[in-house]
Amino acid sequence: MAGETNYNMTEQYAQCLEKGLKYQDFVTDVLISILGISLSTYNSKEYQYTKGENKQGFEIKFDDKYKTTGNIYIEISEKSNAKNKEYVKSGIYRNDNAWLYLIGNYENIFIFSKKHLQLMHEMNKYRQVKTATSIGFLIPEKECIKYCVNKIEI
């Protein structure tokens, strides 16, 4: 994300981004109603890039393939456009205030420690996935349940 401009953003990337923002709103509502946690979201691109998604340090990711695959995809780098030369650090390696990583869909939200996910990646135990715009690894649902800090079922 850092170092890239929106001029290189594809329509597909923009659609994925919009899905992610809608999911963030959903999770924000779930956190306040189920756990009593109110997030203070950063809205400007500058604050999102330099500080993170919110003041509390919760990274929120939507995995729309989780329901069909049974795996959670943990991103480690990305490109906003496949034509960009290099991937940039993202997800669990993004340099921001995130310490918790919330990922899932509209039925299940897994809450992980960001540091624990980094250790899981470093173990090189999980299947790596590389697409034209993203690099990450897959954690099977059973492992997610075993290693998450909390799981919220909607």
Side-chain angles (χ1 to χ4, degrees):
M1 299 188 88
E4 293 184 315
T5 64
N6 287 338
Y7 301 113
N8 292 330
M9 187 182 297
T10 64
E11 183 65 28
Q12 179 184 5
Y13 185 89
Q15 288 173 353
C16 288
L17 184 60
E18 182 59 30
K19 279 185 189 178
L21 292 173
K22 183 178 176 184
Y23 184 69
Q24 279 180 234
D25 291 344
F26 169 77
V27 171
T28 298
D29 282 349
V30 168
L31 289 174
I32 191 70
S33 64
I34 293 179
L35 299 179
I37 297 171
S38 179
L39 294 182
S40 303
T41 304
Y42 293 128
N43 293 309
S44 72
K45 288 179 186 174
E46 177 187 351
Y47 270 66
Q48 287 219 346
Y49 289 150
T50 60
K51 295 183 182 265
E53 289 183 8
N54 50 65
K55 182 75 172 168
Q56 291 75 17
F58 291 21
E59 179 78 14
I60 301 169
K61 295 291 184 185
F62 178 50
D63 189 335
D64 60 349
K65 295 179 182 176
Y66 158 61
K67 187 173 184 172
T68 56
T69 66
N71 296 306
I72 288 290
Y73 177 73
I74 305 296
E75 186 176 79
I76 60 171
S77 31
E78 71 174 340
K79 294 194 257 186
S80 61
N81 187 320
K83 294 178 182 177
N84 293 351
K85 280 185 176 182
E86 297 181 22
Y87 291 88
V88 295
K89 289 181 182 180
S90 66
I92 61 172
Y93 290 114
R94 190 167 149 204
N95 187 19
D96 60 13
N97 71 340
W99 63 283
L100 285 181
Y101 199 86
L102 290 73
I103 185 166
N105 59 20
Y106 289 94
E107 297 170 9
N108 296 291
I109 303 168
F110 295 96
I111 303 174
F112 290 96
S113 157
K114 184 175 163 182
K115 289 280 187 200
H116 194 146
L117 287 173
Q118 290 171 350
L119 289 171
M120 291 172 78
H121 175 246
E122 290 167 11
M123 289 172 42
N124 207 21
K125 172 182 171 182
Y126 302 98
R127 187 169 75 122
Q128 299 274 338
V129 176
K130 183 177 182 179
T131 70
T133 58
S134 180
I135 300 173
F137 63 102
L138 298 172
I139 304 175
E141 182 178 34
K142 286 183 180 181
E143 297 268 314
C144 289
I145 293 166
K146 183 177 180 180
Y147 294 114
C148 72
V149 174
N150 195 0
K151 178 184 176 191
I152 301 171
E153 294 182 28
I154 312 303

mmCIF file of all heavy atoms in Angstrom, residues 22-39:
data_model
loop_
_atom_site.group_PDB
_atom_site.id
_atom_site.type_symbol
_atom_site.label_atom_id
_atom_site.label_comp_id
_atom_site.label_asym_id
_atom_site.label_seq_id
_atom_site.Cartn_x
_atom_site.Cartn_y
_atom_site.Cartn_z
ATOM 1 N N LYS A 22 -17.000 -2.451 3.794
ATOM 2 C CA LYS A 22 -18.328 -2.832 4.276
ATOM 3 C C LYS A 22 -18.198 -3.843 5.417
ATOM 4 O O LYS A 22 -18.896 -3.757 6.428
ATOM 5 C CB LYS A 22 -19.153 -3.418 3.128
ATOM 6 C CG LYS A 22 -20.565 -3.775 3.518
ATOM 7 C CD LYS A 22 -21.348 -4.317 2.321
ATOM 8 C CE LYS A 22 -22.722 -4.768 2.754
ATOM 9 N NZ LYS A 22 -23.466 -5.384 1.658
ATOM 10 N N TYR A 23 -17.270 -4.798 5.265
ATOM 11 C CA TYR A 23 -17.049 -5.797 6.309
ATOM 12 C C TYR A 23 -16.504 -5.139 7.578
ATOM 13 O O TYR A 23 -16.890 -5.512 8.688
ATOM 14 C CB TYR A 23 -16.104 -6.892 5.808
ATOM 15 C CG TYR A 23 -15.902 -8.004 6.801
ATOM 16 C CD1 TYR A 23 -16.943 -8.877 7.106
ATOM 17 C CD2 TYR A 23 -14.682 -8.191 7.437
ATOM 18 C CE1 TYR A 23 -16.775 -9.908 8.022
ATOM 19 C CE2 TYR A 23 -14.507 -9.221 8.350
ATOM 20 C CZ TYR A 23 -15.547 -10.069 8.629
ATOM 21 O OH TYR A 23 -15.375 -11.084 9.549
ATOM 22 N N GLN A 24 -15.620 -4.162 7.444
ATOM 23 C CA GLN A 24 -15.111 -3.441 8.612
ATOM 24 C C GLN A 24 -16.256 -2.806 9.386
ATOM 25 O O GLN A 24 -16.276 -2.852 10.621
ATOM 26 C CB GLN A 24 -14.127 -2.342 8.177
ATOM 27 C CG GLN A 24 -12.749 -2.840 7.894
ATOM 28 C CD GLN A 24 -11.827 -1.717 7.475
ATOM 29 O OE1 GLN A 24 -11.209 -1.791 6.448
ATOM 30 N NE2 GLN A 24 -11.723 -0.682 8.271
ATOM 31 N N ASP A 25 -17.206 -2.205 8.672
ATOM 32 C CA ASP A 25 -18.365 -1.610 9.337
ATOM 33 C C ASP A 25 -19.163 -2.672 10.089
ATOM 34 O O ASP A 25 -19.589 -2.464 11.223
ATOM 35 C CB ASP A 25 -19.273 -0.909 8.316
ATOM 36 C CG ASP A 25 -18.647 0.344 7.732
ATOM 37 O OD1 ASP A 25 -17.664 0.861 8.314
ATOM 38 O OD2 ASP A 25 -19.136 0.803 6.689
ATOM 39 N N PHE A 26 -19.351 -3.825 9.456
ATOM 40 C CA PHE A 26 -20.067 -4.936 10.072
ATOM 41 C C PHE A 26 -19.364 -5.380 11.359
ATOM 42 O O PHE A 26 -19.976 -5.518 12.412
ATOM 43 C CB PHE A 26 -20.172 -6.102 9.082
ATOM 44 C CG PHE A 26 -20.656 -7.385 9.685
ATOM 45 C CD1 PHE A 26 -22.003 -7.572 9.967
ATOM 46 C CD2 PHE A 26 -19.772 -8.415 9.975
ATOM 47 C CE1 PHE A 26 -22.460 -8.764 10.526
ATOM 48 C CE2 PHE A 26 -20.218 -9.603 10.528
ATOM 49 C CZ PHE A 26 -21.563 -9.775 10.812
ATOM 50 N N VAL A 27 -18.046 -5.593 11.281
ATOM 51 C CA VAL A 27 -17.273 -6.042 12.444
ATOM 52 C C VAL A 27 -17.310 -4.994 13.552
ATOM 53 O O VAL A 27 -17.421 -5.333 14.729
ATOM 54 C CB VAL A 27 -15.824 -6.400 12.054
ATOM 55 C CG1 VAL A 27 -14.953 -6.647 13.283
ATOM 56 C CG2 VAL A 27 -15.800 -7.625 11.138
ATOM 57 N N THR A 28 -17.245 -3.722 13.182
ATOM 58 C CA THR A 28 -17.327 -2.643 14.173
ATOM 59 C C THR A 28 -18.630 -2.747 14.963
ATOM 60 O O THR A 28 -18.627 -2.629 16.189
ATOM 61 C CB THR A 28 -17.202 -1.273 13.481
ATOM 62 O OG1 THR A 28 -15.917 -1.197 12.849
ATOM 63 C CG2 THR A 28 -17.347 -0.137 14.466
ATOM 64 N N ASP A 29 -19.741 -3.003 14.258
ATOM 65 C CA ASP A 29 -21.030 -3.177 14.936
ATOM 66 C C ASP A 29 -21.041 -4.424 15.814
ATOM 67 O O ASP A 29 -21.557 -4.405 16.929
ATOM 68 C CB ASP A 29 -22.172 -3.265 13.916
ATOM 69 C CG ASP A 29 -22.569 -1.915 13.361
ATOM 70 O OD1 ASP A 29 -22.131 -0.883 13.897
ATOM 71 O OD2 ASP A 29 -23.329 -1.898 12.372
ATOM 72 N N VAL A 30 -20.463 -5.516 15.331
ATOM 73 C CA VAL A 30 -20.411 -6.767 16.104
ATOM 74 C C VAL A 30 -19.588 -6.576 17.369
ATOM 75 O O VAL A 30 -19.986 -7.017 18.454
ATOM 76 C CB VAL A 30 -19.838 -7.926 15.250
ATOM 77 C CG1 VAL A 30 -19.504 -9.135 16.110
ATOM 78 C CG2 VAL A 30 -20.815 -8.310 14.141
ATOM 79 N N LEU A 31 -18.446 -5.910 17.259
ATOM 80 C CA LEU A 31 -17.577 -5.718 18.421
ATOM 81 C C LEU A 31 -18.277 -4.934 19.533
ATOM 82 O O LEU A 31 -18.145 -5.279 20.703
ATOM 83 C CB LEU A 31 -16.278 -5.025 18.018
ATOM 84 C CG LEU A 31 -15.299 -5.859 17.198
ATOM 85 C CD1 LEU A 31 -14.119 -5.004 16.739
ATOM 86 C CD2 LEU A 31 -14.806 -7.068 17.981
ATOM 87 N N ILE A 32 -19.002 -3.899 19.159
ATOM 88 C CA ILE A 32 -19.687 -3.109 20.186
ATOM 89 C C ILE A 32 -20.855 -3.886 20.780
ATOM 90 O O ILE A 32 -21.066 -3.865 21.991
ATOM 91 C CB ILE A 32 -20.145 -1.720 19.663
ATOM 92 C CG1 ILE A 32 -20.600 -0.822 20.819
ATOM 93 C CG2 ILE A 32 -21.217 -1.828 18.630
ATOM 94 C CD1 ILE A 32 -19.545 -0.334 21.734
ATOM 95 N N SER A 33 -21.596 -4.628 19.965
ATOM 96 C CA SER A 33 -22.782 -5.318 20.488
ATOM 97 C C SER A 33 -22.448 -6.601 21.249
ATOM 98 O O SER A 33 -23.113 -6.929 22.218
ATOM 99 C CB SER A 33 -23.769 -5.620 19.355
ATOM 100 O OG SER A 33 -23.210 -6.517 18.435
ATOM 101 N N ILE A 34 -21.386 -7.317 20.856
ATOM 102 C CA ILE A 34 -21.065 -8.593 21.506
ATOM 103 C C ILE A 34 -19.973 -8.459 22.569
ATOM 104 O O ILE A 34 -20.083 -9.031 23.648
ATOM 105 C CB ILE A 34 -20.678 -9.658 20.459
ATOM 106 C CG1 ILE A 34 -21.906 -9.989 19.600
ATOM 107 C CG2 ILE A 34 -20.128 -10.929 21.118
ATOM 108 C CD1 ILE A 34 -21.675 -10.997 18.509
ATOM 109 N N LEU A 35 -18.932 -7.687 22.275
ATOM 110 C CA LEU A 35 -17.810 -7.577 23.217
ATOM 111 C C LEU A 35 -17.748 -6.240 23.955
ATOM 112 O O LEU A 35 -16.908 -6.054 24.832
ATOM 113 C CB LEU A 35 -16.481 -7.820 22.488
ATOM 114 C CG LEU A 35 -16.299 -9.198 21.835
ATOM 115 C CD1 LEU A 35 -14.942 -9.273 21.144
ATOM 116 C CD2 LEU A 35 -16.437 -10.315 22.858
ATOM 117 N N GLY A 36 -18.591 -5.286 23.564
ATOM 118 C CA GLY A 36 -18.572 -3.975 24.216
ATOM 119 C C GLY A 36 -17.363 -3.140 23.836
ATOM 120 O O GLY A 36 -17.002 -2.204 24.550
ATOM 121 N N ILE A 37 -16.741 -3.446 22.694
ATOM 122 C CA ILE A 37 -15.552 -2.707 22.237
ATOM 123 C C ILE A 37 -15.973 -1.736 21.145
ATOM 124 O O ILE A 37 -16.526 -2.136 20.121
ATOM 125 C CB ILE A 37 -14.473 -3.667 21.697
ATOM 126 C CG1 ILE A 37 -13.984 -4.588 22.809
ATOM 127 C CG2 ILE A 37 -13.316 -2.887 21.075
ATOM 128 C CD1 ILE A 37 -13.078 -5.711 22.338
ATOM 129 N N SER A 38 -15.702 -0.453 21.366
ATOM 130 C CA SER A 38 -16.012 0.578 20.379
ATOM 131 C C SER A 38 -14.723 0.995 19.681
ATOM 132 O O SER A 38 -13.761 1.414 20.333
ATOM 133 C CB SER A 38 -16.644 1.781 21.080
ATOM 134 O OG SER A 38 -16.917 2.791 20.155
ATOM 135 N N LEU A 39 -14.701 0.877 18.356
ATOM 136 C CA LEU A 39 -13.518 1.244 17.585
ATOM 137 C C LEU A 39 -13.571 2.700 17.150
ATOM 138 O O LEU A 39 -14.630 3.201 16.775
ATOM 139 C CB LEU A 39 -13.384 0.366 16.340
ATOM 140 C CG LEU A 39 -13.111 -1.111 16.562
ATOM 141 C CD1 LEU A 39 -12.969 -1.824 15.219
ATOM 142 C CD2 LEU A 39 -11.876 -1.327 17.405
#
